[in-house]
Amino acid sequence: MSEPSPVSQRQVPAHAEYAHGNQSGHDASEALGEQVRAAHAAQRPLRITGSGSKAFLGRTVEADEVLDMRAHHGITHYDPVELMVSVRAGTPLAELEAVLAEQHQHLSCEPPHFGANATVGGTLACGLSGPRRPWSGSLRDLVLGTRIISAEGKALRFGGEVMKNVAGYDLSRLMTGAQGTLGAISEVSLKVMPRPAASQSLRLELSLDETLTRLTAWGRTPLPISAASWQAGTLSLRLEGGMRSVEAGVTMLGGESLHAIEAARYWSDLREHQLPFFTTHASHEALWRLSLPLVLNHGDWQAAVSETLGHIDEADLLCDWAGAQRWLYSDAPAERVRQLAHRLGGHAVCYTPGVVSEQDSPLMPLNTINARYHVQLKQQLDPLGILNSGRLYAGL
Amino acid sequence: MASFDDIDKAGRAVGDIIACGIIPGGLEMMDNLAIRAAEDFIHAGYPIEATAILLCELDGAEGDVSDDCARVREVLELAGATEIRLARDEQERARFWAGRKNAFPAVGRMSPDYYCMDGTIPRRELPTVLTGIAELSRQSGLAVANVFHAGDGNMHPLILFDANRPGELELAEDVGGKILELCVAAGGSITGEHGVGREKINQMCAQFTSDEITVFHAVKAAFDPTGLLNPGKNIPTLARCAEFGAMHVHHNQLPHPELPRF
């Protein structure tokens, strides 16, 4: 058994305000605001973009003009002691993560990049989180505040840089995942966390049924699990926390210990869809993300699968988030996959472009009541349909 | 439980604990008035001569907690704590917390009435904001006890007053409002957890611009088009902000200058 690897030495970061990025960044908010004001005056729709790394995750926006957020970049305020960072939307996510790492901190939800140049603004607009999500909270949970450019081109600020804030409606969280349809995110303040002192990943040979049973039981113990994925009869687990609790966890669970480099590579490849599971699958099958309840009886899963899809090959399934996020390759019609998710109380998103019809959306269709509130909200915040209209759903 | 003879040092100690990568389960600060009120009521063993105390609770697996306890003690010593006490057992731990958890009723014993505020600030602004609160207390003649969720920057200043004295309730509300404006000026928020109803609604105008308040009304309209649910609460009307702004003109800069006034 290898020693749990110390991810970071605990060090005291400089107590003074950390002003990284002010020199290298660029404030383009005025020009971006002006562009939106002009588009609004001319009733001309805009397509908001960053690097385009997550362009596949929504519908095509019918707009000739692009609002490119990449010109507005740089870290405006990073105070490691306050556990918060404020970042302009166009800042590359990789640059932010590198700056946090210098202070032994990170974004605990480990959001996927899906491209080398992914921006912080695009990451927030899509609202995606990585393998640590069930234990760390989602990206949305880390949002302290946002600055946005409204459909009229006004600069607005919601939330702030403090940990607790319940003044006014929480529009920052509404913007997270709205893919720019309610406002163009120009800056975000995020809660950051210290990197765990120790990390050790393990592999255990188990069936999916046994994996889910054990994870449920382990969830009632103080085991410091921070990631759990299952594929083709192998459970990969990551333990993170204090050195002693990680060591105790390794002793208790047994299995095969992964070398630190191999482990980091695995969790990163899982997050970025770079595992062979994702890179070698037959091209005629679509990749679906199923978001399901954390506690899901394996028998219910099997019954729902057989009623909707008939049979799925074990090689087509990868479970992350202790089973709550399942990646499925399938050539079944979209309605069937959606039925499967719906039946189990979850939802399904298609990650392969061109699978659903143009009028449809890769996102799960909304029920009538939810759709009504989505439409009313869009009408209130962007009645002329200037910002990324149609990105999430047709007519929204 | 760590005692300090200087509130600034106590504030810095909070940052130092977090800076070494430890996120305590609970991290609370009390000032001298709050300490004396709690001690008089609960007899928790608080040092009544201390300017401030910090209560720090660490949770997790036993081995990690004992490592972290040693580390926090070291940090507190370096930060200039005059006394550090580690709860020896569950009873003592509960006693340490009993004082803090009963701080509000304890202050209530000292004064016929008190008004509890809920502003949040970046922790680094604590000394500045506490100095501002002390100045408001001196000007108004109303004592203010400070209880602080130090870990997340949430302040609970308790303004002591006597509602039977004519004008004192209004004075307490005025001091409370000004404390919240201090929090906003320090980069914080008028409420961390208690929320806005009718009370604190004027201070919404200090935290948000009229464009932002207009967006809040738009969101409200999306969910409640006929204005059926608690109209007038939570989000002020722009007319209210104009009126409130006219009452307090700072450096001759009229807040919300774009709003029509009569």
Side-chain angles (χ1 to χ4, degrees), chain B residues 24-261:
Chain B
L27 189 54
E28 297 284 320
M29 190 193 290
M30 293 164 73
D31 74 356
N32 182 263
L33 187 54
I35 296 168
R36 282 188 286 123
E39 184 56 24
D40 192 48
F41 182 34
I42 296 295
H43 313 297
Y46 286 177
I48 51 168
E49 73 292 349
T51 307
I53 58 167
L54 276 184
L55 291 168
C56 176
E57 181 160 288
L58 301 163
D59 54 16
E62 201 159 350
D64 294 343
V65 170
S66 54
D67 285 354
D68 287 351
C69 277
R71 191 69 208 265
V72 167
R73 176 183 278 277
E74 200 180 307
V75 168
L76 290 169
E77 279 167 4
L78 279 171
T82 51
E83 190 194 359
I84 300 165
R85 275 192 259 163
L86 182 69
R88 280 160 299 188
D89 49 30
E90 180 53 26
Q91 285 75 18
E92 192 170 20
R93 189 192 74 87
R95 202 159 55 244
F96 281 180
W97 281 113
R100 165 61 189 92
K101 287 178 179 171
N102 290 290
F104 289 18
V107 167
R109 293 169 75 239
M110 297 173 73
S111 168
D113 301 282
Y114 70 86
Y115 183 32
C116 170
M117 308 312 293
D118 174 43
T120 61
I121 54 169
R123 282 186 311 266
R124 62 175 179 275
E125 298 291 338
L126 181 65
T128 316
V129 175
L130 286 177
T131 306
I133 292 174
E135 180 57 23
L136 286 169
S137 168
R138 196 190 57 78
Q139 282 170 10
S140 64
L142 300 181
V144 180
N146 283 290
V147 179
F148 186 53
H149 300 308
D152 46 22
N154 194 184
M155 313 185 77
H156 288 312
L158 305 172
I159 305 163
L160 279 53
F161 71 102
D162 182 353
N164 284 328
R165 291 197 201 129
E168 217 163 82
L169 169 63
E170 292 72 22
L171 183 60
E173 285 182 328
D174 183 48
V175 170
K178 284 178 178 151
I179 289 175
L180 298 186
E181 286 162 38
L182 280 179
C183 293
V184 173
S189 170
I190 59 172
T191 174
E193 54 193 19
H194 299 178
V196 176
R198 285 180 193 279
E199 189 250 352
K200 298 194 276 287
I201 197 159
N202 287 335
Q203 280 69 41
M204 286 289 286
C205 312
Q207 187 166 337
F208 296 101
T209 66
S210 39
D211 283 339
E212 288 153 4
I213 287 168
T214 302
V215 171
F216 288 147
H217 284 296
V219 172
K220 165 81 168 163
F223 288 95
D224 181 16
T226 55
L228 215 53
L229 305 171
N230 273 3
K233 283 207 170 188
N234 203 328
I235 312 295
T237 61
L238 292 180
R240 189 179 186 111
C241 286
E243 216 171 276
F244 173 66
M247 297 189 305
H248 174 205
V249 178
H250 185 60
H251 289 161
N252 209 23
Q253 302 247 298
L254 205 59
H256 305 272
E258 66 286 3
L259 299 177
R261 288 172 164 80

Side-chain angles (χ1 to χ4, degrees), chain A residues 236-304:
Chain A
S236 301
L237 272 181
R238 184 174 62 190
L239 304 175
E240 284 178 328
M243 188 74 88
R244 296 204 202 186
S245 53
V246 170
E247 273 171 6
V250 170
T251 308
M252 186 188 140
L253 294 171
E256 175 204 351
S257 285
L258 268 65
H259 187 275
I261 295 169
E262 189 190 352
R265 179 71 190 262
Y266 173 78
W267 297 112
S268 160
D269 283 352
L270 170 63
R271 186 190 73 197
E272 300 299 335
H273 290 186
Q274 293 302 312
L275 291 176
F277 172 81
F278 296 103
T279 56
T280 63
H281 244 91
S283 57
H284 69 278
E285 289 183 321
L287 175 63
W288 287 88
R289 171 185 181 265
L290 306 177
S291 176
L292 301 173
L294 191 52
V295 178
L296 179 63
N297 181 291
H298 188 58
D300 293 345
W301 160 258
Q302 285 176 312

Side-chain angles (χ1 to χ4, degrees), chain A residues 65-85:
Chain A
E65 190 179 337
V66 169
L67 184 71
D68 191 335
M69 304 304 290
R70 282 175 296 182
H72 188 55
H73 65 94
I75 294 169
T76 57
H77 184 194
Y78 175 28
D79 191 335
V81 177
E82 299 280 343
L83 302 177
M84 86 88 208
V85 66

